[in-house]
Each structure stands twice: as structure tokens, then as C-alpha cells.
């Protein structure tokens, strides 16, 4: 009895907020928008497809936050990687274009990581600066012009294609979540990320290579932002400097609501997935309700505030 | 390895250790030997240099001059990891536990057990070993899966000492392990420290409580403003002598 009580007390609410919130929002839209096409298979599939880049970015952010750092620059990385890849695809075959996109993401992540891990500059300031810097790079790369992606296999692979009837965007989501979850939960590296974010000094004295961990999480986040850029370019069949521009809040909200601690030491990839699906559903429902863009932003902001407040409640006391 | 030699040599030999931080001299000409199964207490006022000395032994700071020998072999650790690899464990004043992680993850922090082709964490194995160890050391915690945050100060210190016990093969350094604890919890931690001696480990413990020092130690070493005032056998001295050595009056 006693131990059951103890266990109950140790279960913190924040872990389940995302699942409850997801269900509540789903039910709300199912009831209010059931006749407006919310429940159609097409619409539900669409939500998942639209959420794919958000989920991929969220996975990277879970690693970064769990390690006690933050990355604000991933939105800009998305744009630079998508544009870089699209430009390269104009002249080179598929795999060169893919490598360009992922390489750009990893390289920017490396740049962030070196500043954070080895020069010990605060990641908030570093990535705030690189967010602006690479947003500028994205604008100047093609003079604000969007670049069409005509490579069909690229569009199949990262956009409209499917394998055995499963849309490729869904496959990318499942693959990234599965791999991310495995690395985060089941490997030494994942444990070291959590320890670093929890108590960097403790991690250090027990022999964990803390700077190494910090560099790697920034690179993971950059690399995944690069992948998100490819997914955007594939789905829209074009790359543009605005890609990823407005995803910062959505991704951070998805991750925090999902149960990852802003102060490090705690995180969950599955939670981030559900959080990001919840954000996608919210977007979709608000549009179907016929809200104006400004009203959508307000309602979304309020709902995120409520969800984040509940998620962080037990951290504060 | 020459066994006869290892048996003869002291576990730790500090010779003429000197440490300055810029212009500030923290340790001046310190020498001390520690044998296996011996508990030596390091006492002195605030700022005397006790923590600095422990950091030098554990590879956090390099001495400005002087030598450190482990089992008679001179060493110079590049960092704490190297010291750990040679069987030296430290229990820090401010712990060194990751609060949001479970007890068993802390026990294996930086040395996680893995299994399988992809190097998965062997959680089951780590939980089992932790349960065995805390039972053996009588550290009373709800379970190895409890998060550190949910433990009391004494339980946390128990976990930190259990970790040191588990990994140390030669020497355990403790920096004020009971500073933040109540009477009962302190007694428990002292039992854990005494158990290290039973395991034939050498122990160097910093404490401001002379009662504790007299309960636990075989010898007492006094530092005052970086200077080594002297070493006494606990059985052959008393509190008055130690106090006057600490204060210099
Ligand atoms: N990293 C450092 N840089 C500069 N000075 C230091 C550093 N570490 C310690 N000192 C100085 O060395 C001296 C000894 O400090 P130390 O922490 O070893 O004292 P202590 O004996 O452990 O004291 P306490 O009982 O208060 O813990 C102090 O004057 C301190 O200011
Ligand atoms: Mg000290």
C-alpha cells in the first residue's frame, strides 16, 4: 500500500499532460468540426504529413534541451539547408543534393556546438545570433527568390512519394522517432546527454566528456533541421527563405508540452512526437473553424501557455 | 606487476606537495602517506586548503610542485577520469549526483553497463547491482529506480558513498560528507565510511566535527593556512591538542 502511494506521488503529471491534452483537443475538434471534414482520413493524414518537419526538428530539440542547452537557430537552418539542397539539385544528382542539405545542417550545428561546448558561450545567445545570421544567409543566397525542385526522385523521397502505400513523410517521421527514441533512451550517449543537462559537474567528474556531448547535441539538432528542410523542399517542390521561419514557437511548445524540461536532465522523444501532432491538429482545427490568421495566432498562443503552465507546474514546486 | 612491492608500498604517497593559484599559496609543502585499510582525517579551519588537497589527489588540480605516488608508482593525473581509472573515488561536499536521474543511473554514471549488438543500456543489470549494493551497505532507499530528487540528504550521501565504495579499488576521498546531515543520518554515513575500511580501502576524510574525527580516524592530519602543522595518531592525542594545532594558540 505504502509503496503504491509513494509511486503515485512520484508520477508527475507533466508526463501525461501531452496525452491528455492531445485527446481533449482531438475530442473537441471531432465534436465541433465532425461535419466540417476534420475526421476524414484525408484530413487526419494531412495533419501527420504537415507535422513531419516539426516532429523531426522537435527530436533534435529534445536532445539539446535535455543536455541543458537550447537552439533557437534551427528554423534558419531549415531555410539554408532547403535552399542549398534545391540549388545543388539543379545541377547534380539526388544524393549530392541530399548530402548538401544534411551537410549544411550538420555544419551549422557544428558551428553552434563549438561555440557552446568549447568556448562556453551561452547557447541561448549563440543560437540567437546564428538564427539571425543564417536567416540573412538564406535571404541573400538566392536574392529572396524561391528555387523550384524538379528532381522527381527527390520529390518522391522527401515529399509526395510513398512506399508500400505509406507516404514517405510518414516513413521519415517514424524512422526519425524510432531512431531518436532508441539513441535517447537506450544508449550510453543518451544517458550522458541527460547527465550533462542534469548536473554537468557531476557528469564531468564521473568521466563523461561533457564538451563532446554538448557539441554532438547541437550537431544532431542542426542535422535534423537540415532533414526538415529537405522534407519542406520535397513537399512544396521548392525551397524558399521563409521555410522554417515560423516554426520556432511551435517546435519549442511541442517539446515542452511533450514533457522535456527546459532546464535540462529530462526529456522524451515520444512525448515530443505527440506534442508536435497536437500542435498540428490545433493548427488544422483552427483553420477549419474558419478563424482568421490573427485569431489563430492568439488562440494558439493561449493554448500553448496553458499547456506549458501545466507541464511545468511540478517543476516549480 | 611486482606483488611483493605493491604490498609493501603505501596506497598513497604525497611528497612535498605545493599548490599556488596565481599568487595565492593554497598548499605549502605537504607530505602524507596512506595505507590500505586506514582512515586519515584532514582537519583545519575554513580556507586551510583541505578541499584543494583532495582536488590535487583526485586529478582536478595539478600540484605546482611535488609528487603523488599510487602504490609506490609516481603518477600525474590529467583529469578526474584518470584518477578514477586508477581506483580513486571522491565523495564531494556538494555531492556529484544528477538529481533527475534514478539512483542506479547515478551509480553507473559515466560507466553504464551495456548489452546487445547496439550497445543498449543494461538497465536490469544496473538496477540489480545497485539493489545488491545498497542492501549490503544498508543504505535505506525506496528502490534503485527512485529519482535522486526524491531522496533525503542522508540517503543521497549514502548513494554517493555507495558509488564510491562500488568503484574504488584503492582510495576514497570524502570532503565533509556529513556537513548537511542530521544526527541519525550522520551516524549512518559514518557506518558507511567505516565499512570502507573493512574493505581494505584507504580513506581520507575531511571533517569539521572533531567528535566525528575521533570516532572514525586512525590518524589526524592538521592544516592551517596551507601549512601542514602535523600528523597525530588518534589514539595518542586528544581534542585539546588538535584544536590548538588548528587554531595555532
Ligand atoms: N580554483 C581556485 N582558484 C583560486 N583560489 C582558490 C581556488 N580553490 C581554492 N582557492 C583558495 O585556496 C584556499 C584553500 O581553499 P580550500 O577550498 O582548499 O579550503 P578548505 O580547507 O576546503 O576550506 P573549507 O573548510 O571552507 O571547505 C582558499 O584561500 C581559497 O580561496
Ligand atoms: Mg572545503
Amino acid at each position: 500500500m505504502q509503496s503504491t502511494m509513494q509511486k503515485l506521488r512520484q508520477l508527475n503529471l507533466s508526463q501525461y499532460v501531452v496525452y491528455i491534452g492531445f485527446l481533449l483537443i482531438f475530442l473537441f475538434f471531432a465534436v465541433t468540426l465532425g461535419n466540417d471534414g476534420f475526421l476524414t482520413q484525408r484530413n487526419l493524414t494531412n495533419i501527420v504529413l504537415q507535422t513531419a518537419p516539426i516532429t523531426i526538428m522537435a527530436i533534435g530539440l529534445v536532445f539539446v534541451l535535455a543536455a541543458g542547452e537550447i537552439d533557437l537557430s534551427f528554423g534558419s537552418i531549415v531555410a539554408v539547408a532547403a535552399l542549398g539542397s534545391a540549388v545543388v539539385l539543379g545541377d547534380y544528382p539526388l544524393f549530392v543534393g541530399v548530402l548538401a542539405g544534411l551537410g549544411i545542417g550538420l555544419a551549422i550545428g557544428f558551428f553552434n556546438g563549438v561555440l557552446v561546448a568549447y568556448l562556453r558561450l551561452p547557447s541561448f545567445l549563440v543560437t540567437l545570433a546564428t538564427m539571425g545570421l543564417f536567416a540573412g544567409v538564406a535571404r541573400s543566397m538566392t536574392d529572396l527568390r524561391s528555387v523550384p525542385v524538379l528532381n522527381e526522385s527527390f520529390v518522391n523521397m522527401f515529399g509526395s512519394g510513398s512506399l508500400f502505400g505509406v507516404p514517405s513523410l510518414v516513413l521519415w517521421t517514424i524512422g526519425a522517432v524510432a531512431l531518436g527514441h532508441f539513441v535517447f533512451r537506450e544508449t550510453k550517449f543518451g544517458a550522458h546527454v541527460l547527465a550533462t543537462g542534469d548536473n554537468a559537474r557531476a557528469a564531468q567528474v564521473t568521466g563523461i566528456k561533457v564538451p563532446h556531448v554538448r557539441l554532438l547535441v547541437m550537431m544532431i539538432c542542426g542535422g535534423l533541421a537540415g532533414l526538415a528542410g529537405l522534407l519542406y523542399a520535397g513537399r512544396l517542390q521548392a525551397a524558399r527563405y521563409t521555410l522554417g521561419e515560423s516554426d520556432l514557437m511551435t517546435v519549442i511548445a511541442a517539446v515542452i508540452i511533450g514533457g522535456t524540461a527546459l532546464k535540462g536532465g529530462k526529456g522524451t522523444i515520444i512525448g515530443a512526437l505527440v506534442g508536435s501532432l497536437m500542435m498540428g491538429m490545433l493548427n488544422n482545427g483552427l483553420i477549419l473553424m474558419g478563424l482568421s490568421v490573427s485569431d489563430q495566432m492568439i488562440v494558439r498562443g493561449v493554448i500553448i501557455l496553458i499547456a506549458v503552465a501545466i507541464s511545468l507546474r511540478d517543476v516549480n514546486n | 606487476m611486482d606483488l611483493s612491492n605493491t604490498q609493501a608500498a603505501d596506497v598513497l604517497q604525497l611528497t612535498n606537495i605545493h599548490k599556488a593559484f596565481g599568487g595565492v599559496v593554497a598548499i605549502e609543502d605537504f607530505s602524507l602517506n596512506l595505507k590500505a585499510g586506514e582512515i586519515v582525517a584532514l582537519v583545519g579551519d575554513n580556507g586551510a586548503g583541505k578541499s584543494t588537497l583532495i582536488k590535487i589527489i583526485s586529478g582536478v588540480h595539478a600540484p605546482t610542485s611535488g609528487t603523488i605516488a599510487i602504490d609506490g608508482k609516481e603518477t600525474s593525473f590529467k583529469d578526474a577520469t584518470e584518477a578514477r581509472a586508477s581506483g580513486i573515488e571522491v565523495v564531494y561536499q556538494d555531492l556529484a549526483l544528477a538529481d533527475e536521474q534514478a539512483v542506479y543511473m547515478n551509480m553507473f554514471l559515466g560507466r553504464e553497463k551495456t548489452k546487445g549488438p547496439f550497445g543498449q543500456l543494461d538497465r536490469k543489470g544496473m538496477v540489480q547491482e545497485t539493489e545488491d549494493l545498497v542492501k549490503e551497505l544498508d543504505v535505506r532507499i525506496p528502490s534503485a529506480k527512485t529519482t535522486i530528487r526524491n531522496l533525503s540528504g542522508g540517503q543521497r550521501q549514502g548513494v554517493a558513498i555507495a558509488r564510491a565504495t562500488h568503484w574504488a579499488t584503492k582510495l576514497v576521498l570524502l570532503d565533509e560528507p556529513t556537513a548537511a546531515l542530521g544526527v541519525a543520518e550522520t551516524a549512518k554515513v559514518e557506518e558507511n565510511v567505516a565499512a570502507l575500511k573493512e574493505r581494505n580501502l584507504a580513506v581520507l576524510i575531511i571533517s569539521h566535527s572533531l567528535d566525528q574525527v575521533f570516532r572514525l580516524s586512525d590518524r589526524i592530519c592538521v592544516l592551517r593556512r596551507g601549512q601542514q602543522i602535523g600528523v597525530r595518531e588518534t589514539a595518542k592525542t586528544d581534542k585539546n591538542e588538535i584544536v590548538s594545532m588548528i587554531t595555532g594558540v
Side-chain angles (χ1 to χ4, degrees), chain B residues 50-52 93 175-176 206:
Chain B
K50 306 178 298 292
S51 296
T52 304
Q93 188 168 4
D175 194 343
E176 300 189 42
I206 296 178

